[in-house]
Amino acid sequence: MTKNDPLQIQDFLPYLLNRAAETTSLDFQKTYKDRYGMLRTEWRVLFHLGRYGGLTAKQICSMADLHKTKVSRAVSALERQRFLVRTEVPTDRRNELLSLTKQGQAAFDHLQQEATRYNENLLTTFTAEEQEILRRCLKKMARIP
Amino acid sequence: MTKNDPLQIQDFLPYLLNRAAETTSLDFQKTYKDRYGMLRTEWRVLFHLGRYGGLTAKQICSMADLHKTKVSRAVSALERQRFLVRTEVPTDRRNELLSLTKQGQAAFDHLQQEATRYNENLLTTFTAEEQEILRRCLKKMARIP
DNA sequence: CATTGATAGTTACAAATGCAACAAATACCG
DNA sequence: CGGTATTTGTTGCATTTGTAACTATCAATG
């Protein structure tokens, strides 16, 4: 690709990233949508709570780079389905500590396994070096430290 | 990462891909949203038309991996803003050939330049080898031939 | 050609999202 | 203290999206 060739769409990274993200997300969605009735954001919140334990909505917002309204609604949905509970933090009653119920933990355990399997399966087509580079480049573009 | 370590969220590719896709898409959106009043799908359709000339909605669907309703609405919006026109195909009046107006072509020319610049800027942090691997891995995951 | 089936594209309705305004609690500062 | 500003989280409303049903045209088959 010389500098003056017109840009191919498949070389435009936001486009490529969106397509890869959609393809893989829709694939993996099969794992949780029907069985647990979760949306993508809910799965993402569940994953954070399962992986990192009790968190406040604010913490999830910044860790997952999600807007607070999206998190607020995902938390409500997960609460409604009894996957998590809120507990007041007495020292600052603006915060609510979110933690998984037994049922939420079970769902997380299962989905984490599936996620691991999906991920490993996806990565098998790449060499170790490619995996390493891919991860590093994606993190940089997503501005994840 | 040994096989039995729990999966880190930042190593789960659908998650990483979504974050990178959102970050870069929102960045680049600054270029077209205010100035041309386009949404992401509309920019995507415009890009395809500008890059590959007259196409039918169906062709755009399969090339861009977009659902036909999304394309239909994007086309209507682009038409309303006089970025494209539809012309009947006499041999099969179900098809409509979509082509850019002068104004649409001008917007495309400008945005393609911006896209190239944005892309090159994003890629400068990577080595040539990394760029190559990144592109290849993303295409494979997006199932782009 | 008449009937049935397929294809291109649109539309109606429900669900999800983004944005701004909001309420409640706390922090800051005279 | 008392008032203003910040922070955490929710809600209302407009916009966008997904799904399914729909229209219009064409193809295939008897």
Side-chain angles (χ1 to χ4, degrees), chain A residues 21-34:
Chain A
E22 270 315 295
T23 303
T24 57
S25 293
L26 289 178
D27 273 0
F28 188 70
Q29 190 184 342
K30 291 183 179 57
T31 311
Y32 57 82
K33 193 179 180 191
D34 289 341

Side-chain angles (χ1 to χ4, degrees), chain A residues 57-58 68-69 72-73 86 94 96:
Chain A
K58 183 72 195 301
K68 58 183 180 172
T69 62
S72 171
R73 284 170 181 134
R86 322 186 191 219
R94 287 171 304 183
E96 302 180 304

Side-chain angles (χ1 to χ4, degrees), chain A residues 19-105:
Chain A
R19 296 234 3 210
E22 270 315 295
T23 303
T24 57
S25 293
L26 289 178
D27 273 0
F28 188 70
Q29 190 184 342
K30 291 183 179 57
T31 311
Y32 57 82
K33 193 179 180 191
D34 289 341
R35 173 149 180 187
Y36 298 105
M38 280 182 214
L39 300 176
R40 204 184 293 181
T41 311
E42 294 160 25
W43 151 238
R44 212 149 137 179
V45 167
L46 182 89
F47 200 161
H48 276 84
L49 283 174
R51 192 68 183 70
Y52 299 113
L55 297 169
T56 67
K58 183 72 195 301
Q59 289 176 303
I60 296 177
C61 288
S62 71
M63 291 173 78
D65 192 30
L66 288 171
H67 194 269
K68 58 183 180 172
T69 62
K70 246 176 149 177
V71 171
S72 171
R73 284 170 181 134
V75 166
S76 295
L78 290 170
E79 186 188 33
R80 204 178 320 120
Q81 300 165 275
R82 317 227 179 276
F83 287 128
L84 63 76
V85 290
R86 322 186 191 219
T87 52
E88 272 191 4
V89 178
T91 61
D92 184 344
R93 292 204 329 256
R94 287 171 304 183
N95 294 301
E96 302 180 304
L97 194 67
L98 306 168
S99 39
L100 296 184
T101 59
K102 194 167 261 183
Q103 188 188 340
Q105 185 65 43

Side-chain angles (χ1 to χ4, degrees), chain B:
Chain B
M1 185 171 71
T2 24
K3 203 144 186 157
N4 290 326
D5 277 348
L7 178 66
Q8 301 287 337
I9 295 183
Q10 324 89 329
D11 291 336
F12 184 49
L13 280 167
Y15 176 75
L16 250 190
L17 289 166
N18 266 290
R19 297 239 355 215
E22 270 313 295
T23 302
T24 57
S25 294
L26 288 178
D27 273 0
F28 186 70
Q29 191 184 33
K30 292 184 179 56
T31 311
Y32 58 82
K33 192 179 181 189
D34 289 341
R35 173 149 180 187
Y36 298 105
M38 281 182 214
L39 300 176
R40 204 184 294 181
T41 311
E42 294 160 24
W43 151 237
R44 213 149 137 178
V45 168
L46 182 90
F47 200 162
H48 277 84
L49 283 174
R51 193 65 184 72
Y52 299 112
L55 297 169
T56 67
K58 184 72 194 301
Q59 289 176 304
I60 297 177
C61 289
S62 71
M63 292 174 77
D65 191 31
L66 289 170
H67 194 268
K68 58 184 181 174
T69 62
K70 245 176 150 178
V71 171
S72 171
R73 292 192 262 241
V75 167
S76 295
L78 290 170
E79 186 189 33
R80 203 180 319 119
Q81 300 165 274
R82 316 225 180 278
F83 286 128
L84 63 76
V85 291
R86 321 184 191 221
T87 53
E88 271 191 4
V89 178
T91 61
D92 185 343
R93 290 204 330 257
R94 287 172 304 183
N95 293 302
E96 303 179 303
L97 193 67
L98 307 168
S99 39
L100 295 184
T101 59
K102 193 167 262 184
Q103 189 188 339
Q105 185 65 42
F108 170 73
D109 289 344
H110 170 231
L111 287 179
Q112 188 186 37
Q113 278 196 324
E114 293 292 327
T116 305
R117 202 148 60 96
Y118 178 84
N119 214 45
E120 281 172 357
N121 189 47
L122 199 57
L123 286 170
T124 46
T125 47
F126 305 133
T127 68
E129 190 208 8
E130 285 172 337
Q131 295 179 23
E132 171 56 35
I133 288 174
L134 181 61
R135 223 183 332 258
R136 195 151 36 79
C137 293
L138 290 177
K139 276 189 190 172
K140 188 178 267 182
M141 288 188 288
R143 301 195 196 106
I144 296 176

